[in-house]
Amino acid sequence: MSSNSDNFWLISVPGEKTPQDSWEKVSKTIAPYASVFKFSIPNLKVGTLDHLFGLSDDLAKTDTFIESVTRKVAQYFSEVLEHEKDKLAENLMANNADCFTYVTNFEWDHAKYPPKQALKSIAETISKQVSQIENDLKSKSTAYNSIKQSLTALQKKQTYSLFF
């Protein structure tokens, strides 16, 4: 995001005759108070009410998990950048864009997440991808910490050699 004070609210409103009519009404109402961006999501395959209730419980857990992994990634970047924390925002990217740009220009990836697929399947795909990101973070952080420890040991050895 462009700064720590950026907040995004994703709202859904009752539909007017067309989605464009809904967008215009909401935009006119909110625009004096906040920036408004369209966040288009395709019509997804909903399924039965039972499926939606089951998915609702799953999504709450998935949301918590994804937020946790996202925070871990941001925290780790913060630790790795040690003395250059001012560069944190420019290093936290989503699809090669800063977070603010990514969110405000969001486009559904129809190839990765086909709208004709069941919602549960899309949620599972996203969860698996985030699990892979978490696993990659663990392995890369382990490798980074190992290299950092080796470098520290080498620096101590060189400093010790300079004294004698």
Side-chain angles (χ1 to χ4, degrees):
M1 292 185 209
S2 59
S3 75
N4 289 339
S5 63
D6 288 334
N7 289 305
F8 292 98
W9 288 34
L10 182 64
I11 62 169
S12 177
V13 295
E16 298 292 326
K17 290 181 181 179
T18 68
Q20 186 60 33
D21 290 343
S22 298
W23 165 251
E24 288 172 5
K25 184 175 180 179
V26 168
S27 192
K28 285 178 189 172
T29 304
I30 297 174
Y33 308 104
S35 299
V36 181
F37 304 95
K38 194 177 270 191
F39 195 86
S40 297
I41 298 175
N43 291 329
L44 300 169
K45 187 176 174 185
V46 176
T48 66
L49 189 56
D50 285 342
H51 286 117
L52 281 177
F53 279 123
L55 185 60
S56 176
D57 293 338
D58 292 344
L59 285 179
K61 294 173 190 168
T62 301
D63 181 56
T64 302
F65 171 64
I66 291 172
E67 182 176 353
S68 168
V69 172
T70 303
R71 289 185 187 279
K72 285 178 192 175
V73 169
Q75 177 62 36
Y76 195 74
F77 265 89
S78 177
E79 290 171 10
V80 168
L81 290 172
E82 291 179 32
H83 306 292
E84 300 180 69
K85 291 195 189 272
D86 56 322
K87 294 186 178 184
L88 182 61
E90 69 188 59
N91 283 285
L92 292 174
M93 307 289 280
N95 284 355
N96 297 318
D98 64 90
C99 294
F100 182 85
T101 302
Y102 179 77
V103 170
T104 57
N105 295 300
F106 177 81
E107 289 186 32
W108 188 269
D109 188 336
H110 291 268
K112 277 187 179 177
Y113 316 107
K116 301 267 186 225
Q117 218 173 30
L119 282 176
K120 184 171 182 88
S121 178
I122 292 173
E124 287 170 353
T125 299
I126 292 169
S127 187
K128 286 177 187 173
Q129 290 171 336
V130 174
S131 290
Q132 185 59 50
I133 290 169
E134 182 179 41
N135 291 335
D136 290 349
L137 176 64
K138 287 177 184 175
S139 65
K140 289 180 182 187
S141 66
T142 299
Y144 174 80
N145 289 333
S146 175
I147 291 170
K148 189 174 177 181
Q149 287 173 348
S150 297
L151 180 62
T152 302
L154 183 62
Q155 288 172 335
K156 285 181 181 178
K157 187 176 181 181
Q158 285 179 338
T159 302
Y160 181 77
S161 296
L162 290 175
F163 286 123
F164 296 101

